[in-house]
Amino acid sequence: DAGVTQSPTHLIKTRGQHVTLRCSPISGHKSVSWYQQVLGQGPQFIFQYYEKEERGRGNFPDRFSARQFPNYSSELNVNALLLGDSALYLCASSWLGWGNQPQHFGDGTRLSIL
Amino acid sequence: DAKTTQPTSMDCAEGRAANLPCNHSTISGNEYVYWYRQIHSQGPQYIIHGLKNNETNEMASLIITEDRKSSTLILPHATLRDTAVYYCIVRETYNQGGKLIFGQGTELSVKP
């Protein structure tokens, strides 16, 4: 079975632009979470979606938004890009939005802001 | 903030067991311990998780102390491909939803 897939794998943008990142969860998984990983640090939680509803939000500005579609795939949108948004953006999926089953990660989208 | 403390780095000889410690002294009764690892340029890979009993799967073993304040991840026969950053995470599974709080992790170097 396919794992979590993310697109694109790499992206270069300039300050002030907008970006959309995409994630397809493992088949049968209904929850998607987004994380930002800056170089040299552990991933930081941005959002969690379950059944198309936001179930959790990390400490990120309103420039960051996301949504989940009926097929459980998800998009992360970032507006007015700043140099500090350069990072690896990771998507993780799990069967439910709670419980002890683990989240499984994709390999991320590496976003570079010039 | 992460609720776990791990050594910054460790070395292990190829073929030997790698024992990675984690302290989580403030863990509460309904929090599980999860281990992930991240190989350079890849996403974190789930390894194992447990509540209070020791757990074993095809990748590793997880030993949790009786008071649950610390745990050890054991890779029984480390290979060069096990070189990675290993993250220990405690997570309350019903109220925190999908949130995993990562610390700095332990950078494990397996040497020939």
Side-chain angles (χ1 to χ4, degrees):
Chain A
D1 285 345
V4 177
T5 58
Q6 294 187 242
S7 63
T9 55
H10 294 81
L11 200 52
I12 299 174
K13 292 284 189 178
T14 57
R15 283 177 294 175
Q17 285 189 312
H18 161 272
V19 70
T20 298
L21 311 180
R22 295 178 174 82
C23 171
S24 292
I26 291 171
S27 178
H29 285 191
K30 299 181 179 181
S31 178
V32 168
S33 298
W34 288 95
Y35 293 80
Q36 180 196 65
Q37 186 173 24
V38 174
L39 197 62
Q41 298 183 18
Q44 261 197 298
F45 173 76
I46 309 175
F47 287 112
Q48 187 222 356
Y49 276 78
Y50 174 69
E51 290 286 8
K52 296 171 288 180
E53 291 189 9
E54 182 183 304
R55 297 300 180 100
R57 172 186 281 257
N59 188 24
F60 281 81
D62 292 344
R63 299 185 296 109
F64 288 76
S65 63
R67 55 180 175 168
Q68 186 178 33
F69 299 98
N71 66 354
Y72 303 110
S73 67
S74 178
E75 285 182 353
L76 175 70
N77 296 284
V78 187
N79 293 324
L81 288 166
L82 303 173
L83 292 177
D85 295 330
S86 294
L88 180 66
Y89 288 85
L90 295 160
C91 173
S93 76
S94 59
W95 180 44
L96 296 175
W98 63 89
N100 67 355
Q101 79 281 158
Q103 296 179 33
H104 296 275
F105 286 79
D107 283 336
T109 294
R110 185 160 299 281
L111 175 63
S112 299
I113 310 301
L114 303 179
Chain B
D1 290 344
K3 297 181 67 174
T4 62
T5 304
Q6 299 177 252
T8 303
S9 63
M10 292 181 64
D11 290 339
C12 178
E14 189 178 19
R16 305 298 291 266
N19 296 283
L20 291 91
C22 179
N23 286 320
H24 31 81
S25 58
T26 61
I27 194 170
S28 60
N30 57 353
E31 287 182 317
Y32 281 73
V33 180
Y34 292 79
W35 283 83
Y36 284 79
R37 72 181 182 184
Q38 189 171 24
I39 296 169
H40 184 62
S41 297
Q42 297 181 18
Q45 178 189 22
Y46 165 75
I47 302 173
I48 199 168
H49 74 283
L51 181 63
K52 53 185 176 182
N53 297 320
N54 298 337
E55 303 286 346
T56 297
N57 63 20
E58 65 278 5
M59 289 183 67
S61 294
L62 173 60
I63 308 298
I64 301 175
T65 57
E66 194 168 342
D67 63 7
R68 302 209 323 123
K69 292 186 177 182
S70 66
S71 59
T72 301
L73 179 74
I74 301 172
L75 307 178
H77 304 286
T79 71
L80 299 179
R81 285 180 289 184
D82 291 322
T83 293
V85 177
Y86 286 76
Y87 294 101
C88 171
I89 301 166
V90 296
R91 175 176 162 232
E92 198 271 348
T93 54
Y94 286 92
N95 291 330
Q96 288 186 359
K99 185 176 183 178
L100 292 173
I101 302 175
F102 289 80
Q104 294 296 322
T106 295
E107 188 165 3
L108 176 69
S109 296
V110 180
K111 300 181 184 298

